[in-house]
Amino acid sequence: MWGASGQTVHAPLESWVDAPLRTDQPIDQLVLRYLAAFGPATVRDVQTWCGLTRLAEVLDRLRPRLATFRDDNGAELFDLPDAPRPDPQVCAPARYLYDFDNLLLSHHDRFRVVTDGLRRQRFAPHGPAPAWCSWTASPQRPGRSPQHRALRS
């Protein structure tokens, strides 16, 4: 909690769910589930979402089961073959997204989701910066501490 201190307490997941972790789920299943939620996506998008690397090998292995496309910059996009895809000429409806919405955090290159102008205003290298929070160094607290303030237009 903010303003509190104390020893960090960690516990294995098994103690919370009262069951052993499954180890029989292959990485392929993880990638397919990601594509079902956020596809079409690049290899880097998948890697950004899950934090794993070397997923190009996994997507190459899955290639016969996937549909592939190219984005405006020529990057290869992967998707499930039966995923809904509107006609490219159809304008996407406006969406109101929270600063830390999974749609925003689940892509490496967010240009397919957010305009360049908005991205330059609101995005830090690792995701969106909420409108009410900026990060500044604090002499009282080494590192970075949140400074809550309204952003000026």
Side-chain angles (χ1 to χ4, degrees):
M1 291 278 120
W2 293 105
S5 62
Q7 184 176 1
T8 303
V9 178
H10 298 277
L13 179 61
E14 292 92 339
S15 69
W16 284 72
V17 297
D18 199 29
L21 291 178
R22 289 182 59 183
T23 58
D24 62 338
Q25 289 289 328
I27 191 74
D28 298 23
Q29 188 66 30
L30 177 80
V31 171
L32 291 171
R33 286 181 179 217
Y34 168 83
L35 291 174
F38 301 110
T42 65
V43 172
R44 291 186 77 186
D45 290 335
V46 182
Q47 291 177 163
T48 296
W49 172 77
C50 68
L52 300 174
T53 59
R54 298 188 174 172
L55 294 183
E57 300 165 8
V58 175
L59 285 156
D60 280 340
R61 184 171 58 245
L62 291 170
R63 185 179 298 276
R65 297 171 52 189
L66 300 174
T68 59
F69 308 94
R70 295 275 172 190
D71 70 10
D72 294 341
N73 296 323
E76 186 172 30
L77 301 169
F78 297 89
D79 203 358
L80 301 178
D82 56 350
R85 280 180 284 281
D87 185 284
Q89 302 306 314
V90 172
C91 291
R95 302 267 198 286
Y96 294 102
L97 302 173
Y98 178 66
D99 292 325
F100 295 100
D101 190 278
N102 260 331
L103 177 65
L104 299 175
L105 298 177
S106 298
H107 294 86
H108 173 75
D109 189 348
R110 297 175 182 95
F111 84 93
R112 292 188 312 272
V113 180
V114 181
T115 65
D116 282 340
L118 181 62
R119 190 187 61 201
R120 279 193 294 273
Q121 274 184 325
R122 301 278 311 281
F123 280 77
H126 300 293
W132 50 265
C133 184
S134 66
W135 291 90
T136 59
S138 168
Q140 291 80 20
R141 295 184 186 177
R144 295 158 67 108
S145 62
Q147 304 295 318
H148 304 287
R149 62 179 172 80
L151 294 178
R152 295 185 180 105
S153 337

